[in-house]
Amino acid sequence: MKLKLDQVLADRLVGQVVGAKGHLPSVFTDIEINYFLLRRLLGVKTDGQKQAKVRNLEVDDVLMVNIGSTATGARVVAVKADMARLTLTSPACTEVNEKIALSRRIDKHFRLIGWATIKKGTTIEPIA
């Protein structure tokens, strides 16, 4: 099967940010978030009539984090009350106080479990 060049580029550039150096937000490798979890899972059927409850975040949980148009994996490295620290699988260009979506893999699909606000994190300098 042949792919057109624009199809390949469109898929690989999704979520990437382009801009002049010094005019873009910071690039984070890990973030500290203030999160809120939904009470029940959306779109998941269980044996009974009630929807399944969302489990609390735990250390070593693997999540998918949506930051703007970027979707990246994240591992929970610390949890305390409604705060958590996540290590991102690929760096994300974002800002402090940005709202993000949190999803967890449930029955082979990622399901929305809550949202969060970025409070701080570790940044890296992009290559010129």
Side-chain angles (χ1 to χ4, degrees):
M1 177 178 169
K2 268 186 159 177
L3 289 176
K4 293 181 183 177
L5 183 59
D6 59 339
Q7 288 173 326
V8 173
L9 291 178
D11 289 342
R12 292 194 182 164
L13 291 178
V14 168
Q16 300 301 312
V17 180
V18 177
K21 188 174 182 178
H23 292 84
L24 288 174
S26 300
V27 178
F28 289 87
T29 56
D30 62 275
I31 55 176
E32 191 169 307
I33 59 171
N34 182 1
Y35 68 91
F36 177 84
L37 297 180
L38 300 172
R39 289 186 186 101
R40 307 257 181 216
L41 284 172
L42 302 173
V44 178
K45 292 185 179 181
T46 57
D47 296 336
Q49 293 290 358
K50 281 191 170 183
Q51 292 176 320
K53 289 187 177 183
V54 174
R55 278 190 305 110
N56 285 334
L57 293 184
E58 298 172 358
V59 174
D60 285 337
D61 272 352
V62 175
L63 305 174
M64 181 174 66
V65 178
N66 291 85
I67 305 171
S69 63
T70 304
T72 185
R75 181 172 301 276
V76 179
V77 293
V79 179
K80 185 176 181 183
D82 63 345
M83 299 289 285
R85 187 149 190 97
L86 309 177
T87 299
L88 305 175
T89 56
S90 61
C93 183
T94 188
E95 296 176 333
V96 170
N97 291 325
E98 180 88 20
K99 293 250 192 269
I100 63 174
L102 305 174
S103 301
R104 181 183 281 147
R105 186 179 291 274
I106 298 167
D107 297 332
K108 299 180 184 175
H109 300 284
F110 278 101
R111 301 290 181 178
L112 180 68
I113 61 164
W115 64 88
T117 305
I118 298 173
K119 292 301 174 187
K120 60 182 177 179
T122 305
T123 60
I124 58 172
E125 280 297 314
I127 299 171

